[in-house]
């Protein structure tokens, strides 16, 4: 990952100084990095004596995020025109308002600052008020650098939440490369401030409901190989969700199990969310850029981990996704 430049720090500080009130918001269906980077920014604004409100459309499906749900609202306060001019929106762990989901209220015409680390964000139209680094494995790391530059050393509480977010997106270092030595240096400061690797790992990986194991088995049963076995695709139907609940999916374990299959280069998980909409999760090994596939269906993300939401049904979406993969594999 890159160091945040002085001009980026100054742009962010100017954005903070100019506004009196802030909304902090990440993408819908948040993961650990989304929530942790939001809370890290909240800690930063608190230190700078700036009023703010945490937003997220949810749902908070992941068991490790349940305790944070009450800290977030899905409602935007009514604002007079003069108040709107002095309000800033900080979007973290994504770069587009449409990915924030359904929030009750109006966020239009509010000044925006984006903090993101996704490849598709960096490739899109540049945003003047932004810190976007696709070489950074977690938005929480970008928030850490901002906090340290503007406030000073991390508190124990802030170090713990940012470490939690970083471990979510790095898979406890599994997704780092030989070029990420400085990432470990930054993480070491979180640990020095009080973050506990063992307890964080136990917290993230334990407490899963029995239904997650049942649904995991069902997803493995649905899995099919394509493109000479290099692609595995599995899916979740509406009936699957009704039987085992919306909280029954453990995608991390699913991706890990399927990517371990011999000769597999990419894995796709599709879920029928409603009668007419689906979501997709894409994972790959080093060579396959799944963000390019996700972009075809209105999504985005990292080279090796991306997702999307789209209109359609599984029976037509599955062949469409396989067709797109056939163009790059």
């Amino acid at each position: 990952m890159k160091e945040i430049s002085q001009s980026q720090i100054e742009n962010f500080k100017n954005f903070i100084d100019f506004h009196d009130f802030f909304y902090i918001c990440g993408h819908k269906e948040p993961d650990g990095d989304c929530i942790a980077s939001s809370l890290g920014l909240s800690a930063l604004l608190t230190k700078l004596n700036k009023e703010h409100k945490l937003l997220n459309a949810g749902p908070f499906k992941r068991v490790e995020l349940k305790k944070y749900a009450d800290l977030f609202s899905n409602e935007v306060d009514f604002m007079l025109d003069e108040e709107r001019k002095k309000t800033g929106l900080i979007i973290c762990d994504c770069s587009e308002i449409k990915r924030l989901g359904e929030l009750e209220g109006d966020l239009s015409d509010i000044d925006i600052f984006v903090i993101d680390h996704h490849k598709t964000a960096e490739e899109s139209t540049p945003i003047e008020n932004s810190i976007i680094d696709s070489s950074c494995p977690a938005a929480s790391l970008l928030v850490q650098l901002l906090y340290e530059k503007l406030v000073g050393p991390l508190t124990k509480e802030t170090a713990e939440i940012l470490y939690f977010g970083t471990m979510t997106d790095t898979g406890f270092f599994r997704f780092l490369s030989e070029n990420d030595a400085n990432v470990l240096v930054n993480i070491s400061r979180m640990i020095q401030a009080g973050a506990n690797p063992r307890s964080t790992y136990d917290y993230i990986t334990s407490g899963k409901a029995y239904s997650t194991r049942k649904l995991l088995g069902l997803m493995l049963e649905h899995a099919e190989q394509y493109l000479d076995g290099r692609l595995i695709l599995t899916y979740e139907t509406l009936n699957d969700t009704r039987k085992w609940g919306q909280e029954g999916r453990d995608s991390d374990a699913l991706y890990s199990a399927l990517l371990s299959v011999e000769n597999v280069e990419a894995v796709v998980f599709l879920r029928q969310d409603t009668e007419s909409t689906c979501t997709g999760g894409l994972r790959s090994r080093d060579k396959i850029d799944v963000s390019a596939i996700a972009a075809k269906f209105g999504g985005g993300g990292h080279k090796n981990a991306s997702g999307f939401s789209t209109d359609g049904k599984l029976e037509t979406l599955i062949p469409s996704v396989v067709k797109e993969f056939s163009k790059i594999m």
Side-chain angles (χ1 to χ4, degrees), residues 1 4 33 37 136-146 162 166 170 176 182-183 186-187 190:
M1 64 178 289
I4 296 178
D33 187 36
S37 56
C136 180
S140 294
L141 284 163
L142 297 175
V143 174
Q144 175 196 9
L145 296 182
L146 274 177
L162 292 178
T166 302
T170 64
L176 298 183
N182 60 336
V183 171
N186 294 333
I187 291 172
M190 298 181 190

Side-chain angles (χ1 to χ4, degrees), residues 27-271:
H27 56 79
K28 65 180 181 180
E29 290 197 32
D31 57 9
D33 187 36
C34 175
I35 293 304
S37 56
S38 296
L39 292 173
L41 285 167
S42 174
L44 171 58
L45 291 183
T46 297
K47 287 288 187 181
L48 296 177
N49 297 313
K50 288 290 186 176
E51 292 187 32
H52 59 279
K53 182 176 183 178
L54 288 160
L55 295 176
N56 198 282
F60 287 72
K61 293 181 179 180
R62 298 171 181 257
V63 64
E64 66 270 22
L65 300 183
K66 295 294 186 183
K67 71 176 185 179
Y68 301 113
D70 290 343
L71 300 176
F72 291 80
S73 172
N74 64 355
E75 296 183 0
V76 179
D77 299 326
F78 174 78
M79 292 176 282
L80 300 172
D81 289 343
E82 197 59 36
E83 293 174 317
R84 184 175 290 274
K85 292 177 183 177
K86 300 299 289 183
T87 297
L89 170 63
I90 304 176
I91 301 178
C92 57
D93 202 36
C94 69
S95 60
E96 301 167 306
I97 281 189
K98 66 180 182 180
R99 287 205 64 209
L100 303 184
E102 296 298 322
L103 295 168
E104 297 181 22
D106 182 14
L107 288 173
S108 62
D109 300 323
I110 296 178
D111 288 342
I112 296 173
F113 198 102
V114 170
I115 298 173
D116 195 15
H117 68 121
H118 292 100
K119 185 173 184 287
T120 45
E122 198 165 62
E123 291 175 347
S124 63
T125 303
I127 302 170
E128 182 178 356
N129 284 337
S130 67
I131 297 173
I132 300 174
D133 178 9
S134 64
S135 69
C136 180
S140 294
L141 284 163
L142 297 175
V143 174
Q144 175 196 9
L145 296 182
L146 274 177
Y147 187 103
E148 291 172 336
K149 293 289 186 181
L150 296 176
V151 175
L154 298 171
T155 64
K156 183 176 185 294
E157 182 180 16
T158 303
E160 287 173 336
I161 191 61
L162 292 178
Y163 183 80
F164 163 73
T166 302
M167 292 303 97
T168 297
D169 266 26
T170 64
F172 284 90
F173 310 122
R174 287 180 295 135
F175 308 138
L176 298 183
S177 71
E178 69 276 10
N179 301 316
D180 289 323
N182 60 336
V183 171
L184 296 175
V185 172
N186 294 333
I187 291 172
S188 71
R189 294 198 301 276
M190 298 181 190
I191 297 174
Q192 288 173 339
N196 187 313
R198 176 178 292 182
S199 63
T200 303
Y201 179 83
D202 288 343
Y203 177 71
I204 291 175
T205 59
S206 63
K208 309 297 185 185
Y210 175 71
S211 61
T212 67
R213 309 302 97 182
K214 297 291 288 186
L215 189 54
L216 178 59
L218 190 59
M219 297 303 97
L220 293 173
E221 184 177 341
H222 286 172
E224 296 287 347
Q225 291 182 301
Y226 298 88
L227 306 177
D228 299 323
R230 291 175 294 157
L231 173 69
I232 293 181
L233 185 148
T234 188
Y235 58 88
E236 179 181 331
T237 68
L238 282 173
N239 285 336
D240 297 333
T241 305
R242 292 186 185 112
K243 182 174 182 179
W244 297 111
Q246 291 188 356
E247 301 175 7
R249 179 165 56 97
D250 188 354
S251 56
D252 293 337
L254 177 66
Y255 295 132
S256 179
L258 295 179
L259 281 172
S260 68
V261 175
E262 184 180 13
N263 297 324
V264 168
E265 298 176 25
V267 168
V268 176
F269 169 78
L270 301 176
R271 183 179 67 212

Side-chain angles (χ1 to χ4, degrees), residues 14-27:
N14 290 338
F15 183 83
I16 298 303
D17 289 341
F18 181 79
H19 299 92
D20 296 332
F21 181 83
F22 299 87
Y23 288 108
I24 302 170
C25 192
H27 56 79

